[in-house]
Structures are given as structure tokens and as C-alpha cells.
Amino acid sequence: MSLDPDAPLRFSPLHRLQWEEAQQRHVILYPEGLVELNATSAEILKRCDGEHTLRTIVEELERKYQTEGLTDDVREFLEIALENGWIETAA
Amino acid sequence: MKTAGSKPPLSPPRWLLAELTYACPLQCPYCSNPVDFARHKEELTTEGWKRVLSEAREMGAVQLGFSGGEPLTRPDLEELVAHARRLGYYSNLITSGYGLSAERIAALKAAGLDHIQVSIQAPEQDLSDWLAGTESFAHKKQVARWVKEQGYPMVLCVVIHRHNIEQMEGILEMAVELGADYLELANTQYYGWARLNRAQLMPTREQFERAEAVARRYKERLKGKMKIYYVIPDYYEDRPKACMNGWGTTFLTIAPDGAALPCHAARELPIDEFPNVRRMSIREIWEESEIFNRFRGFDWMPEPCRSCDEKTKDYGGCRCQAYLLTGDMTATDPVCAKSPHRHLIDQAIAEAEAPPEAPLVFRNPKASRRFFET
Ligand code: SF4
Ligand code: SF4
């Protein structure tokens, strides 16, 4: 199953995404767990707000980092995030 | 300040376990509280706990468990939860659910609690109530439903031992029925009351293997719907667990009276006095106290750990298990096949095939007083 580029994505209500001052990075918090994120992963997840889609996230990041061809990397990460339940497709 | 030698750099605590009280309406015979818990009566005040939360957060702690005993017996729980939320903790209430109402679940949510972990003893009433030493089964299931309804991630915890291990299927079905998002199947670890009752609690190897196969089957089937954490009973392994991810690296427990422990079971070690938050800051305790430094790194290790290349993986196992079984807290964890004490584990396994007849000792203040009053 591959991700529909136009499906709106939102961060899971059962997880929390937060900046950790002590670690100088974003983390995902959930029962019994903590995932440390690198800067790009955090940029992607921050945009999962129920409005953004794979397509619009890629557009924004390509603009932000002044680059192209991010689709595959972003898709790959979003699929992992979906599988882990960090995000969901907003119906 | 920091000890010289081959100590790795100090990492800050990430997980804080706040054991708010030893009071508990239940009497689980596998409770991990120290057997002499009734000795420690002086609980920290609300202000004392707030200071603990603030100081640990400042050092980098982010996962927070409110536990006990039964944390719901503290009337200031909502206030502490609100303080934790303001500080940015991800907080978890570890509860038996006893006496918890829908209103209080809502009040805790409003205060900023992130999740509630409800423990249930078994998937059927008589057994569950017997193991809890209290009539509680029906209410616990109700609590689980409320937790779910109010939008918390629902975490169900079942401690596994010989009296419920045959019901693994029933346990998993109950978790499905209740809509658990997470299920923790915690095979009993033999500390505290569980160590006392080990002969009556330990499953046979065959029971264990059958139950594990059932859990594995459900894990596969429920993938994406329910996350199942299966805590292995390390007696049936040949390497010890990496206890607490290494002593004084990640976990900090504060006991009801303010004693700071590197692990919630550590109070059973032959250490006269643990550093206490009434007298020291969390930073001093974590960085400078002798106890938190004692088993950091590898210098303290005896053979066979000292020259073993697996020591960076398991840190020589659990200090409490080493002490409870060998009487020496610096020994290699006897679970390890390389330990000269492995026969103690093998004996316990053999004993599980034909356990001696004895009643379970239930955890309550009366039974506890036997361990320190003469
Ligand atoms: S394990 Fe049982 S007796 Fe011990 S604190 Fe938890 S609910 Fe109370
Ligand atoms: S000898 Fe020590 S370090 Fe090596 S595997 Fe056993 S417990 Fe771990």
C-alpha cells in the first residue's frame, strides 16, 4: 500500500510531539516510549496538522531547503510514521 | 566530582518514577514494593513532590510515571499532574483503578495527564479478585472503558505468573474487548513480594513457552491495532536483562519518603541509606551521590563480566537480582549462563515443576511489619 499524495495527514492524538530543550531536538512521546527525531523528520511531522498532504509537505520543504526531489524520502518517512501510528490519514 | 577511570560520560535521567505512596487498597502477592514498605511512613508533601518534578525536568527527564502503592490515594494527585504538565512531562498514571471514577478521570485529563495504565490481575472475576485480595474486577473493567472513552491511550497491564498464565488467550481477548491501545504482558520479575512468593508464582517452562506462543500469535494478528509489550521472564533466558538500561544512566525512582533509587527494586539492596530529596537536590543525587555512581560504567564488575565483551549490552544484569539470589550485589546476575551461580536459577526452574505447598503471602501492612518488627 502506498501513500496517497493528496490524503491529508494529522499527528496522532495518542502521541505527543515536543521540543526538548535538554536534548536540543524534537521527540515523540507515547506510553512507555520516546523517539528522538532529527531536524528533517521533525519538520515533516510538524506539518501533519490535518491539512497538509504528502504533496504539500514536499513542496514546502523543497522551498524551505531550496532543493528538489524530496518526494521519495518524505514518502518513505511518512510511511514509517503511519506504520508506527505517529500519524494517521485524516478521513 | 566525577570519578576518574573508565567511566562513560554521565547521561541525564530521562525517566522519572514518582512512587507517591506505599498505601494501596490491593494486596497483590507479586507487588514489587519492598517487603518492609510499612517501615517508611513519612510521605513527601505536595511541595516536596513539586520540587522533585521541577528539578528532574530541568535535568532532562521527560517520561514520568506516577505510581505507588496506589497513587490515587493521594488527594493532591491532580495538582501534581498539573505541575508536571506545565513542566512539559509526558505523564502516566500507573494504577489499579481501585476507586477511580469517571469524574476523576476527567479531572486528571483536564490537569494534563497523558495516559493511564490500568492493571488487571486476570481475565475473570474470581481469580482476579482473589489475586488482588480485594473485590475489584468489575470496576477495573469499567475504569478501562472510561479511560478509552475519554480519549486517553488505553494501556492495560497484566502481570503474568503460574495462576493466570494458562489464561493468556483470555487475557488477550479481554484486551481486545476493552479496546486497549497497548497491552503490557509483564511476566513476574522476582523482587519484593514476588520474590517471597516465587515458588507459588513461577510458571513451568512448558507453561511459559505455550503462553509466549499465544502472545506472539496475537501480536502478529493485532499489528497496527494494539501494541503488545511482552516482558520476558528472564529466568528462562541465558543472558540477563540490561537492567534499567544501566545503573544511573536513564532511570530515577523517588520512593514515597523521598529516597532516590536507581531502580524501583533497589531498596532491597543492603544499602543503609539511599540519598534523599529532603536533603539533596536531584542533581547532587544523580551526579555526586556514591550510590548512583557505584555501578556506573564497568570498573566495579567482577569476573566473568569484567572481561566479557557483552558487558556493554547488559551491564552485567540486575544488581537486585544478583543480591537477592547470591547475597552479593556486585556479582554477575545469576541468570547469565556464564555466572558461577547459574545453578540457583536452574534450581528455581526445577522447583517450578513441583512447587512446595505454601500459601501466597499477600502484600499488606500487617504482613510487611513482620519484616522489621521483632
Ligand atoms: S502491585 Fe498490587 S498491591 Fe502492589 S502497589 Fe500495585 S496494586 Fe498495590
Ligand atoms: S558475563 Fe556478565 S557481561 Fe557477560 S553476558 Fe554474562 S552478565 Fe553479561
Side-chain angles (χ1 to χ4, degrees):
Chain A
M1 174 205 83
S2 112
L3 180 61
D4 173 358
D6 295 311
L9 300 164
R10 69 161 169 245
F11 197 76
S12 152
L14 300 186
H15 294 69
R16 196 206 288 169
L17 176 65
Q18 137 177 334
W19 171 256
E20 275 301 286
E21 195 57 37
Q23 303 185 51
Q24 289 295 304
R25 61 167 85 227
H26 278 86
V27 298
I28 300 174
L29 295 158
Y30 57 96
E32 314 290 325
L34 180 161
V35 178
E36 301 183 344
L37 297 168
N38 60 26
T40 352
S41 309
E43 287 301 326
I44 297 173
L45 290 178
K46 272 195 284 182
R47 286 173 172 74
C48 296
D49 53 4
E51 313 249 316
H52 281 78
T53 63
L54 166 60
R55 197 186 303 279
T56 58
I57 292 174
V58 169
E59 278 165 16
E60 277 183 27
L61 293 185
E62 289 182 347
R63 218 173 311 132
K64 181 176 163 92
Y65 295 112
Q66 311 248 334
T67 176
E68 272 170 38
L70 290 183
T71 305
D72 286 352
D73 288 347
V74 175
R75 174 195 297 278
E76 195 183 323
F77 177 74
L78 285 173
E79 280 170 356
I80 293 172
L82 270 170
E83 198 172 305
N84 282 304
W86 303 337
I87 58 169
E88 45 196 41
T89 45
Chain B
M1 177 191 83
K2 276 156 230 166
T3 337
S6 66
K7 300 260 175 191
L10 210 56
S11 55
R14 288 273 180 258
W15 297 66
L16 174 63
L17 186 68
E19 294 184 332
L20 298 182
T21 178
Y22 282 137
C24 185
L26 268 54
Q27 312 182 39
C28 311
Y30 50 73
C31 183
S32 64
N33 284 158
V35 290
D36 65 349
F37 72 85
R39 182 202 294 269
H40 310 285
K41 290 203 190 76
E42 292 274 298
E43 288 180 12
L44 290 182
T45 60
T46 308
E47 288 317 307
W49 278 116
K50 283 186 176 171
R51 189 171 59 81
V52 166
L53 299 180
S54 300
E55 289 181 6
R57 178 72 184 131
E58 200 172 299
M59 290 189 71
V62 59
Q63 279 278 4
L64 168 63
F66 288 109
S67 116
E70 175 50 69
L72 292 170
T73 62
R74 290 275 307 212
D76 56 357
L77 181 60
E78 285 80 349
E79 194 179 341
L80 297 176
V81 165
H83 186 68
R85 185 67 194 89
R86 272 193 298 276
L87 294 168
Y89 277 107
Y90 187 79
S91 53
N92 172 16
L93 175 66
I94 301 164
T95 179
S96 69
Y98 193 86
L100 188 52
S101 64
E103 291 71 37
R104 199 162 187 204
I105 296 174
L108 289 164
K109 179 106 189 163
L113 185 66
D114 290 288
H115 73 109
I116 298 184
Q117 175 183 318
V118 184
S119 65
I120 298 190
Q121 279 66 13
E124 46 118 336
Q125 173 141 16
D126 290 351
L127 179 60
S128 182
D129 288 352
W130 175 65
L131 286 165
T134 317
E135 208 175 293
S136 52
F137 180 68
H139 182 69
K140 280 165 176 285
K141 283 177 70 171
Q142 181 59 57
V143 166
R145 289 200 185 90
W146 284 329
V147 166
K148 178 85 182 170
E149 272 164 31
Q150 298 199 18
Y152 288 98
M154 210 266 272
V155 187
L156 203 65
C157 172
V158 184
V159 176
I160 308 294
H161 44 73
R162 72 186 301 133
H163 298 284
N164 64 6
I165 195 165
E166 302 276 4
Q167 299 171 358
M168 188 55 91
E169 201 133 15
I171 292 169
L172 283 143
E173 285 300 332
M174 174 176 73
V176 171
E177 179 206 320
L178 294 173
D181 297 295
Y182 297 80
L183 173 64
E184 192 171 315
L185 295 167
N187 278 283
T188 304
Q189 310 278 329
Y190 297 101
Y191 305 104
W193 297 81
R195 172 71 188 89
L196 200 65
N197 288 307
R198 188 181 69 188
Q200 274 64 47
L201 292 176
M202 195 152 126
T204 64
R205 185 182 289 277
E206 200 204 331
Q207 286 178 314
F208 159 64
E209 280 167 1
R210 232 180 306 135
E212 197 190 26
V214 173
R216 213 177 305 124
R217 182 151 49 80
Y218 274 80
K219 202 170 176 167
E220 196 50 42
R221 210 183 85 196
L222 297 172
K223 216 179 203 162
K225 289 204 205 95
M226 187 194 300
K227 233 187 213 169
I228 300 179
Y229 295 119
Y230 189 77
V231 182
I232 54 153
D234 66 354
Y235 278 37
Y236 287 117
E237 302 287 314
D238 57 9
R239 287 292 181 271
K241 54 188 177 293
C243 194
M244 297 290 119
N245 195 35
W247 179 277
T249 66
T250 316
F251 289 89
L252 171 64
T253 296
I254 306 296
D257 59 326
L261 315 171
C263 144
H264 63 280
R267 198 155 220 174
E268 296 192 280
L269 293 173
I271 289 172
D272 285 342
E273 222 190 333
F274 282 89
N276 194 297
V277 298
R278 291 175 205 263
R279 288 177 288 280
M280 288 169 87
S281 71
I282 299 283
R283 187 174 293 279
E284 282 171 307
I285 289 170
W286 186 262
E287 294 179 352
E288 296 172 36
S289 71
E290 189 274 327
I291 307 250
F292 275 74
N293 278 302
R294 194 178 294 184
F295 302 114
R296 276 191 175 131
F298 307 105
D299 289 352
W300 61 273
M301 285 182 175
E303 293 297 347
C305 295
R306 181 176 278 270
S307 52
C308 176
D309 57 10
E310 291 176 59
K311 67 186 172 198
T312 53
K313 257 196 330 216
D314 62 32
Y315 313 102
C318 170
R319 296 304 89 224
C320 305
Q321 187 149 279
Y323 171 69
L324 288 173
L325 295 178
T326 73
D328 173 6
M329 62 176 153
T330 68
T332 293
D333 187 328
V335 160
C336 185
K338 300 184 189 182
S339 158
H341 295 105
R342 172 68 207 191
H343 63 276
L344 296 171
I345 299 285
D346 294 330
Q347 266 164 23
I349 292 175
E351 201 180 81
E353 296 294 335
E357 284 285 329
L360 282 173
V361 183
F362 286 88
R363 173 233 192 255
N364 57 51
K366 186 159 171 263
S368 173
R369 279 194 288 272
R370 286 209 329 252
F371 294 94
F372 59 95
E373 280 173 3
T374 41

